[in-house]
């Protein structure tokens, strides 16, 4: 239970929004292991008509019989066997399992809605603290801070341990 509390403290504080032409296309966040995309679905369309196809380097979302709403290459490859999507309360939640655990993504979609340098640095610091927490479950890293440039959580001190 204690580990869960620490993991929650170091989880994403807020979702990042990708806005195009003044409209929110999707929101997203990430952990060491995954990138999550959240799409508000249009009202009045039966949920069984929505579809999502997740490939190693591509995602497509839409309503059957219509052109796709999203049809883009992903920033980095994902593990398709452990990536999935669900619909709940009018929102599609796409969970993309990172192929490279600990790699900081600047955006789920290649070339679209990338984080600014400050936000990208904050994400990398948060993921580094998540890694410290995962490797040292008895300690509380939620108040830890980095001064200067944060190391890459994927490669720091020999890299992420694999189970």
């Amino acid at each position: 239970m204690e580990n869960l509390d620490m993991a929650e403290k170091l989880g994403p504080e807020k979702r990042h929004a990708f806005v195009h032409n003044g409209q929110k296309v999707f929101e997203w966040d990430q952990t060491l292991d995954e990138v999550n995309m959240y799409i508000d679905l249009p009202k009045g369309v039966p949920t069984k008509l929505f579809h999502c196809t997740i490939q190693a380097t591509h995602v497509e979302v839409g309503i059957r019989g219509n052109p796709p709403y999203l049809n883009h290459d992903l920033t980095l490859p994902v593990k398709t066997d452990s990536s999935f999507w669900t619909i709940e309360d009018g929102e599609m939640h796409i969970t993309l399992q990172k192929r490279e655990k600990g790699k900081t993504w600047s955006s789920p979609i290649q070339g679209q809605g990338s984080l600014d340098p400050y936000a990208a640095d904050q994400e990398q610091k948060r993921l580094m603290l998540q890694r410290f927490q995962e490797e040292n479950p008895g300690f509380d890293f939620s108040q830890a801070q980095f001064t200067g440039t944060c190391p890459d959580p994927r490669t720091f001190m020999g890299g992420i341990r694999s189970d």
Side-chain angles (χ1 to χ4, degrees), residues 25-87:
V25 180
F26 62 84
E27 292 181 321
W28 69 282
D29 60 31
Q30 67 183 310
T31 66
L32 279 174
D33 297 297
E34 59 195 30
V35 172
N36 296 288
M37 296 175 65
Y38 308 92
I39 301 169
D40 290 331
L41 300 175
K43 296 184 182 0
V45 179
T47 55
K48 65 180 181 230
L49 291 181
F50 293 103
H51 72 91
C52 177
T53 305
I54 302 168
Q55 298 171 333
T57 59
H58 194 86
V59 66
E60 182 178 306
V61 174
I63 300 171
R64 296 186 200 291
N66 292 282
Y69 173 72
L70 276 181
N71 187 16
H72 293 283
D73 288 335
L74 297 169
T75 299
L76 292 164
V78 299
K79 297 178 184 176
T80 55
D81 61 340
S82 48
S83 297
F84 59 93
W85 61 280
T86 59
I87 294 177

Side-chain angles (χ1 to χ4, degrees), residues 30-32 98 100-105 120-132 134-135 146 150-161:
Q30 67 183 310
T31 66
L32 279 174
K98 293 178 178 180
E100 294 181 72
K101 179 177 178 175
K103 182 80 171 168
T104 306
W105 288 34
D121 184 58
Q122 293 303 107
E123 279 292 279
Q124 184 154 317
K125 288 176 178 175
R126 190 179 55 74
L127 293 182
M128 190 71 199
L129 292 175
Q130 273 189 352
R131 178 184 158 191
F132 286 161
E134 187 176 278
E135 293 177 357
F146 290 96
C150 178
D152 183 339
R154 192 175 54 84
T155 58
F156 179 69
M157 291 185 68
I160 290 181
R161 298 179 198 149

